[in-house]
Amino acid sequence: LKTNLSGGTASALIIDACRRTGINPKELHPVVSDDHYRTLTEAGLNENQIKLSERFPINEVAFVRACLDQLQQRAVIEAVDYPSTNFDTAAAEIETHFKHDRHLTYIFPEEARLLYALAHITTPKRVAFLGSYYGYWAAWALAAMESKSDVALLDVDPSVGSLASENLMNLRRGNGARSITTDAIIFMNQADDESYDWIVLDAEGPKCGLPYDQTDKALYGVMLEAALPKLRPGGLLICHNILLSHHNDDPYFANMIRNNKRQFYKFDQLVRDNFSATVTFPTTEGVGVYRR
Ligand SMILES: C[S@@+](CC[C@H](N)C(=O)[O-])C[C@H]1O[C@@H](n2cnc3c(N)ncnc32)[C@H](O)[C@@H]1O
């Protein structure tokens, strides 16, 4: 029953485990039964992957549409339409040409679609991805952007940076987009003030061994501190892993939410003081969109 899949999307890994064990992924929402839990564990999934599958939207398109409606109501975006045929073409291209090697990404389908839609709707010309990993989330935004847009994929790890470069080339996005191996905090400190339309935050520090505000997602606070003056008024901050609510009181997620809130203490303060709108979405791993 074990999977041979070494890299790819966590979503594909979970769907593959369901297919091999005859489980309909839609049955995993809102709660994975004990039987399914045991079967999926035997199929090679870990606890986090099984628990996250409880959060898969039943209908990805409708879910993203509801997110966009909410952003429009909050005056974060002015329109909600994006071209679904172009999205399908982009998805097929990413599926075919994007290389994961041994890496696994926890960007889930609705999170990819939401970023694509936001890029189409808000047409950012200058974007920085802080903690871009090997470029998977960026690939979805790039698919909806003009090829001459200035897009910096910043990651401190050279091995994921070179894979991101390869992916930009494979997706023929070499023009305005580049992958840079650097500490994103240093890069943003040196950038021009208010020159970015979007800052996308998905960096993650080591789980321990450093001062608390440089570990795990607590890093968002110091990263935002550096990036904030570079985001133009009206620009968007878009963050992954803003998981702050769950559809029931499951202790697994209650613990995760408590830990996230603790890690985001500095980030939250900066957001409260500097952004006119804050909208968070219960995507599989949580996404936050903030208007400067
Ligand atoms: C593992 S990714 C996050 C994964 C992402 N949520 C996904 O599922 O695809 C976080 C990245 O942040 C990067 N990172 C950590 N500290 C950084 C820093 N100071 N500057 C730039 N990148 C950093 C790590 O190297 C790592 O590639």
Side-chain angles (χ1 to χ4, degrees), residues 104-107 130-134 136-137 154-157 160 182-185 202-205 217 219 223 240-241 285:
L104 197 60
T105 173
Y106 282 76
I107 298 298
L130 280 53
S132 46
Y133 202 24
Y134 58 106
Y136 187 72
W137 213 17
L154 310 172
D155 203 290
V156 77
D157 176 349
V160 294
T182 181
D183 182 331
I185 297 175
D202 194 13
E204 194 171 290
K217 291 285 171 179
L219 189 57
M223 285 231 157
H240 193 226
N241 295 109
E285 284 235 291

Side-chain angles (χ1 to χ4, degrees), residues 51-210:
K51 294 303 290 179
L52 284 176
S53 68
E54 296 183 346
R55 296 173 57 90
F56 287 180
I58 296 294
N59 179 332
E60 174 196 319
V61 176
F63 179 91
V64 168
R65 177 59 199 239
C67 296
L68 296 170
D69 285 343
Q70 211 180 324
L71 286 168
Q72 189 183 36
Q73 280 156 20
R74 300 285 308 279
V76 175
I77 57 178
E78 286 171 4
V80 293
D81 292 326
Y82 63 98
S84 63
T85 321
N86 295 8
F87 174 84
D88 292 342
T89 308
E93 259 176 38
I94 290 172
E95 173 77 29
T96 312
H97 298 297
F98 193 91
K99 264 181 74 177
H100 296 269
D101 284 352
R102 65 191 162 79
H103 301 284
L104 197 60
T105 173
Y106 282 76
I107 298 298
F108 285 85
E110 75 281 10
E111 298 167 345
R113 181 182 283 269
L114 179 59
L115 202 68
Y116 176 96
L118 285 174
H120 174 84
I121 292 164
T122 68
T123 64
K125 301 286 183 280
R126 194 155 201 233
V127 176
F129 283 83
L130 280 53
S132 46
Y133 202 24
Y134 58 106
Y136 187 72
W137 213 17
W140 292 91
L142 285 164
M145 289 168 68
E146 288 175 16
S147 61
K148 60 178 190 300
S149 309
D150 173 1
V151 183
L153 276 61
L154 310 172
D155 203 290
V156 77
D157 176 349
S159 68
V160 294
S162 60
L163 184 55
S165 292
E166 205 182 320
N167 278 319
L168 290 176
M169 231 159 55
N170 290 347
L171 296 168
R172 300 184 305 281
R173 296 305 308 219
N175 302 348
R178 63 216 188 282
S179 156
I180 305 169
T181 297
T182 181
D183 182 331
I185 297 175
I186 297 175
F187 184 95
M188 292 316 293
N189 277 331
Q190 292 167 350
D192 292 339
D193 276 355
E194 299 189 351
S195 58
Y196 282 86
D197 300 308
W198 275 22
I199 301 287
V200 184
L201 197 43
D202 194 13
E204 194 171 290
K207 299 279 178 226
C208 57
L210 286 178

